[in-house]
Amino acid sequence: MKIKILFALAWLPFVVLGQTNIKSPTVEEVDNLEQTIRATRSLTNKLDVRVRNMEGRLKAISKSLEEQLSVNQNLQEQLQNNLQTQAQNERAVNLALDEFSKKFEEQNKTVEGVKASLDAQLKQQFLYYTLALVVFVIVLLIAVKISTAKALKQQLKSWNEFNEYIIKRKQQ
C-alpha cells in the first residue's frame, strides 16, 4: 500500500497539472496556430475554388477566342477569295471593255465609210437630179420655144388666111 500511496503521490502533480483550466502558453500558441492553419486552409480552399472558376472562365474565353480566330480566318479567307474573284472579274470586264472599244471603233470606221459612201451617193444623186432638172428645163424651154414657134406659124398662117379671105371678099 505504501507503493500505492507513493505511486498516487507521484502521479498527483501530473493529474493536478493536467486537470487545471490554466492553459500553458505553448498550448495557447498551438491552439492559435491551429486556428490560423484552419483559417488559412479555409482561405486556401476558397482561393482554390476561385482559381478553378477562373481557369474555367479562362478556358471558355480562350475557346471563344479560338472560335473567333477561326471565324476571322475563315472570313479572311473568304475575303481574299472574294478579292481574287473581284480582281478576276475586273480583268474580265477590262478585257470585255477593250474588245468592246475595239469593236466600237471598227463599227465607227464602218459607219464612217458607209456615211462617206452614202454622202458620195447623195452628192452623185443630187448631181444627177440637178442635171436631169437642167436637161428637163432646157427640153421644156426648147419644147415651149418650138411650140411657140409652131403656134406663131399657125397663127400667122391663120392671119394670112384671114387676110386673104378679107381681101377676096373685098374684091368680090
Side-chain angles (χ1 to χ4, degrees):
M1 179 105 162
K2 278 185 188 178
I3 293 183
K4 286 185 183 180
I5 293 178
L6 269 175
F7 186 68
L9 285 176
W11 276 99
L12 183 65
F14 292 114
V15 172
V16 171
L17 286 177
Q19 291 185 2
T20 59
N21 285 338
I22 299 173
K23 292 186 178 178
S24 69
T26 54
V27 171
E28 279 184 33
E29 211 173 298
V30 168
D31 287 343
N32 286 337
L33 288 175
E34 284 177 354
Q35 285 179 356
T36 305
I37 289 172
R38 275 186 247 128
T40 305
R41 282 184 184 161
S42 171
L43 184 61
T44 304
N45 288 340
K46 288 178 183 177
L47 290 176
D48 283 342
V49 168
R50 279 182 147 179
V51 166
R52 284 187 211 117
N53 288 340
M54 294 290 222
E55 284 176 349
R57 288 181 188 170
L58 184 62
K59 286 180 183 177
I61 289 171
S62 66
K63 190 174 185 180
S64 173
L65 285 175
E66 288 174 2
E67 289 174 0
Q68 287 179 353
L69 285 175
S70 173
V71 167
N72 284 344
Q73 287 175 347
N74 289 341
L75 289 175
Q76 285 179 346
E77 289 174 4
Q78 288 177 353
L79 181 62
Q80 287 176 350
N81 290 339
N82 289 343
L83 288 175
Q84 289 174 353
T85 304
Q86 184 178 3
Q88 289 173 353
N89 289 342
E90 285 180 12
R91 280 187 229 116
V93 166
N94 287 338
L95 289 174
L97 285 175
D98 288 341
E99 288 180 27
F100 177 74
S101 66
K102 287 177 185 176
K103 287 182 181 179
F104 187 71
E105 288 174 8
E106 289 175 9
Q107 282 182 342
N108 282 343
K109 288 178 184 177
T110 305
V111 166
E112 286 175 8
V114 169
K115 186 177 177 183
S117 69
L118 286 176
D119 285 344
Q121 284 179 355
L122 183 65
K123 286 178 184 178
Q124 194 175 23
Q125 285 178 353
F126 184 69
L127 181 65
Y128 289 150
Y129 288 140
T130 305
L131 286 175
L133 183 64
V134 168
V135 168
F136 177 74
V137 168
I138 291 173
V139 168
L140 187 64
L141 286 175
I142 291 172
V144 167
K145 193 172 186 178
I146 291 173
S147 66
T148 305
K150 207 181 204 184
L152 280 176
K153 270 186 185 179
Q154 191 174 7
Q155 185 68 23
L156 187 59
K157 187 178 175 186
S158 292
W159 181 256
N160 285 339
E161 284 176 1
F162 177 70
N163 280 335
E164 279 180 22
Y165 176 74
I166 293 207
I167 292 178
K168 277 187 190 179
R169 280 254 219 198
K170 273 191 181 180
Q171 288 178 358
Q172 278 184 0

